[in-house]
Amino acid sequence: MSESSSIDIELRLLVEAIYLKYSYDFRNYSGASQKRRVLHALPQMECNTISDLQARVLHDPNAFMQLLQYLTIPVSEMFRDPSYYLALRQQVVPFLKTYPSLKIWIAGCSTGEEVYSMAIMLKEEGLLDRSIIYATDINPVSLERARKGVFALDRIKEYTSNYQKAGGKSTFSDYYTAAYDAALFDRALVENVSFSDHSLATDSVFSETNLVCCRNVLIYFNRKLQERAFGLFHESLCHRGFLGLGSKESIEFSAYTNRFDPLDKPQRIYRKS
């Protein structure tokens, strides 16, 4: 038996063990990226094989939480892909302004950069006070970082540039206080944000929403799990609600192609049919 097939077997057993022990379901995540992450975690967690890692994870919840940081890749940036936010401002916000109240779901919010970006845009468009934002992720460490709203100061120059390209209407520094190599963002931005644990693999819809944003998440899912996520988004959205996906993701060629109309194809923004 080849070494690669042994690794694949070990990986499947690890993922199954995680599901049975902790109810985190990675069974339908993309195999290639999952393998890269686990193999990267091995030396960091001082394990020689995936089987060694499985034994540690099964008997030590702290080891599982450590592994979860590798499995979920909490990497993001504020106003990531500025043209996407510009499209939201120009093409989606005018419709959102017609609603007396708004519910927005940011699925896979990671460490919160997208949440604060959305809140800033809504504030500038006069919508934040009448909006509820559901920010969800499966990683409790990432969610806690998102709640705190503290980001590295050395990223702020990049974030400021993104904000300006995204059609920002103010001065970006108005939204944070800088101290000790960190930027603390205004707590008023997240007064109406509910940060909560939610898995697109195992959980159901929790609210009717006007806009769902799920970017740079589905690329890590296999087709079966992507279809499940699209089903959740479709069920969650109100009549003619909006769905924003990442630049590498598309609803085309899925079972839900005909249930959404493309609003801005290049930016992967769709409207429920």
Side-chain angles (χ1 to χ4, degrees):
M1 183 177 289
S2 70
E3 182 182 354
S4 61
S5 61
S6 296
I7 288 175
D8 290 339
I9 291 169
E10 285 184 299
L11 186 61
R12 286 179 62 185
L13 291 172
L14 170 66
V15 168
E16 189 68 31
I18 287 171
Y19 177 64
L20 292 172
K21 176 77 174 182
Y22 299 102
S23 300
Y24 279 74
D25 193 351
F26 292 99
R27 295 175 299 174
N28 287 305
Y29 278 56
S30 168
S33 69
Q34 192 175 75
K35 185 191 292 187
R36 282 195 304 272
R37 296 181 204 178
V38 170
L39 292 177
H40 177 64
L42 287 181
Q44 315 298 323
M45 297 182 66
E46 299 179 345
C47 294
N48 293 319
T49 66
I50 297 176
S51 294
D52 291 342
L53 180 62
Q54 178 182 322
R56 274 196 63 193
V57 164
L58 277 176
H59 298 288
D60 183 358
N62 291 327
F64 168 66
M65 196 53 58
Q66 187 180 351
L67 177 60
L68 187 63
Q69 306 316 305
Y70 294 99
L71 290 175
T72 55
I73 312 184
V75 176
S76 187
E77 65 186 59
M78 295 192 73
F79 292 96
R80 183 176 186 166
D81 301 324
S83 54
Y84 167 80
Y85 283 94
L86 188 60
L88 285 182
R89 278 189 192 267
Q90 295 175 345
Q91 300 183 60
V92 177
V93 163
F95 290 103
L96 297 183
K97 287 182 175 180
T98 65
Y99 294 101
S101 62
L102 293 170
K103 290 182 179 179
I104 295 167
W105 178 15
I106 299 177
C109 72
S110 188
T111 46
E113 288 85 344
E114 185 139 358
V115 179
Y116 289 86
S117 302
M118 178 65 69
I120 288 170
M121 186 187 74
L122 292 173
K123 180 177 176 63
E124 293 184 352
E125 298 296 336
L127 294 172
L128 186 59
D129 289 343
R130 53 177 150 136
S131 298
I132 294 174
I133 300 174
Y134 301 103
T136 66
D137 203 271
I138 64 170
N139 187 333
V141 175
S142 294
L143 282 171
E144 185 56 33
R145 286 181 61 189
R147 284 190 189 96
K148 290 178 178 177
V150 178
F151 302 103
L153 202 58
D154 61 9
R155 301 293 305 276
I156 293 299
K157 183 177 180 180
E158 175 190 6
Y159 295 169
T160 301
S161 175
N162 285 351
Y163 164 76
Q164 291 166 345
K165 293 174 185 173
K169 296 181 177 180
S170 186
T171 302
F172 192 58
S173 58
D174 290 345
Y175 297 111
Y176 65 86
T177 303
Y180 306 108
D181 297 323
L184 171 64
F185 276 74
D186 186 354
R187 306 312 299 158
L189 291 171
V190 290
E191 278 184 2
N192 296 339
V193 176
S194 173
F195 292 99
S196 58
D197 182 289
H198 181 276
S199 170
L200 294 172
T202 56
D203 293 328
S204 58
V205 173
F206 50 83
S207 181
E208 184 177 84
T209 54
N210 305 94
L211 168 65
V212 173
C213 295
C214 183
R215 305 200 306 138
N216 306 295
V217 175
L218 302 182
I219 53 174
Y220 300 113
F221 294 177
N222 67 12
R223 179 51 66 89
K224 179 181 178 182
L225 189 50
Q226 287 177 357
E227 294 288 351
R228 186 184 197 280
F230 287 141
L232 289 178
F233 301 154
H234 186 271
E235 188 180 346
S236 169
L237 284 168
C238 66
H239 177 65
R240 301 297 283 157
F242 298 90
L243 172 65
L245 301 177
S247 58
K248 297 181 180 66
E249 297 145 328
S250 174
I251 206 161
E252 292 175 37
F253 310 113
S254 79
Y256 288 85
T257 303
N258 297 325
R259 302 191 191 185
F260 287 90
D261 300 320
L263 184 72
D264 188 320
K265 262 191 174 180
Q267 301 306 325
R268 305 293 200 272
I269 299 173
Y270 304 88
R271 196 171 188 190
K272 186 175 176 179
S273 301

